[in-house]
């Protein structure tokens, strides 16, 4: 079967599905709906379930990389902060960072980040990309994610997918539309 995502601008003809025998990792699909018509309220309501989904499906003891797609630049930043807020509330503020904060290479990479919010979230293991992130910062986020130092990366622009190649075992799509 193919799955279309009309709320994300993709019809069934534009998506791809492969036979289960050809998948190196079995596909599991979880859908959670939100019946809230106000966009900002709906996106805010999705924050905690996204955090819980990351913990449940990407693991706590042996964490795997996670990509989260959000609808806009503002939401990319806010969602990264929300994830870290929930982690702090669980008394695990560095849950998503998988290198010691004292690691010299990690500190050097963070020194290359000019955006204060991105630097702070990356330091705790959550990166984000949007069209406003500079090319050098985009490369740093990518390198940290691929190296496993950062567990979660968030993106809001489909065009960024063609510029950066991420490997992830979990993908979360946070949609702003009521399809």
């Amino acid at each position: 079967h193919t799955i279309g995502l009309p709320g994300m601008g993709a019809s069934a003809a534009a998506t791809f599905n492969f036979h289960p025998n050809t998948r190196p990792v079995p596909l599991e699909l979880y859908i959670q709906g939100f019946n809230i018509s106000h966009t900002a309220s709906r996106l805010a309501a999705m924050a905690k379930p996204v955090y819980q989904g990351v913990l449940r499906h990407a693991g706590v003891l042996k964490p795997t990389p996670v990509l989260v797609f959000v609808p806009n630049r503002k939401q990319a930043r806010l969602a990264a902060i929300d994830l870290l807020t929930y982690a702090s509330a669980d008394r695990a503020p560095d849950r998503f960072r998988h290198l010691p904060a004292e690691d010299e290479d990690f500190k050097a990479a963070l020194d290359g980040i000019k955006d204060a919010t991105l630097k702070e979230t990356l330091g705790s293991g959550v990166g984000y990309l949007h069209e406003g992130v500079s090319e050098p910062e985009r490369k740093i986020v990518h390198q940290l994610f691929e190296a496993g130092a950062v567990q979660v990366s968030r993106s809001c622009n489909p065009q960024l997918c063609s510029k950066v190649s991420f490997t992830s075992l979990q993908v979360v799509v946070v949609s702003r539309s009521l399809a």
Side-chain angles (χ1 to χ4, degrees):
H1 300 293
T2 58
I3 300 170
L5 298 170
M8 298 298 291
S11 68
T15 59
F16 300 96
N17 192 15
F18 302 95
H19 192 275
N21 293 341
T22 63
R23 295 179 191 279
V25 177
L27 174 67
E28 295 180 27
L29 182 64
Y30 299 92
I31 298 174
Q32 184 166 354
F34 294 84
N35 191 16
I36 302 171
S37 58
H38 185 254
T39 302
S41 299
R42 185 173 52 258
L43 291 172
M46 291 179 187
K48 180 82 177 208
V50 167
Y51 173 74
Q52 292 170 333
V54 167
L55 295 185
R56 186 178 319 112
H57 302 294
V60 175
L61 298 176
K62 190 175 177 187
T64 58
V66 180
L67 290 175
V68 180
F69 292 93
V70 295
N72 57 48
R73 174 191 281 199
K74 178 181 176 184
Q75 191 63 28
R77 183 176 293 194
L78 289 175
I81 293 168
D82 287 344
L83 267 180
L84 295 175
T85 300
Y86 289 123
S88 291
D90 282 349
R91 299 180 204 266
D94 297 323
R95 164 173 277 150
F96 302 116
R97 187 186 71 229
H98 302 296
L99 279 180
E102 302 80 30
D103 184 89
E104 292 302 319
D105 293 334
F106 186 63
K107 285 165 65 172
L110 291 180
D111 286 341
I113 302 291
K114 303 294 180 236
D115 180 323
T117 305
L118 180 57
K119 188 174 193 172
E120 183 71 26
T121 61
L122 273 175
S124 296
V126 179
Y128 60 85
L129 296 175
H130 55 69
E131 60 277 1
V133 175
S134 70
E135 187 63 32
E137 290 177 337
R138 188 176 299 140
K139 286 180 181 178
I140 292 170
V141 172
H142 180 257
Q143 289 169 346
L144 290 174
F145 186 79
E146 288 298 317
V150 174
Q151 183 182 357
V152 182
S153 184
R154 307 179 83 82
S155 177
C156 69
N157 190 335
Q159 287 75 27
L160 288 177
C161 295
S162 65
K163 293 182 180 178
V164 183
S165 170
F166 284 105
T167 303
S168 176
L169 293 179
Q170 180 181 0
V171 176
V172 178
V173 179
V174 178
S175 177
R176 66 174 170 239
S177 65
L178 286 171

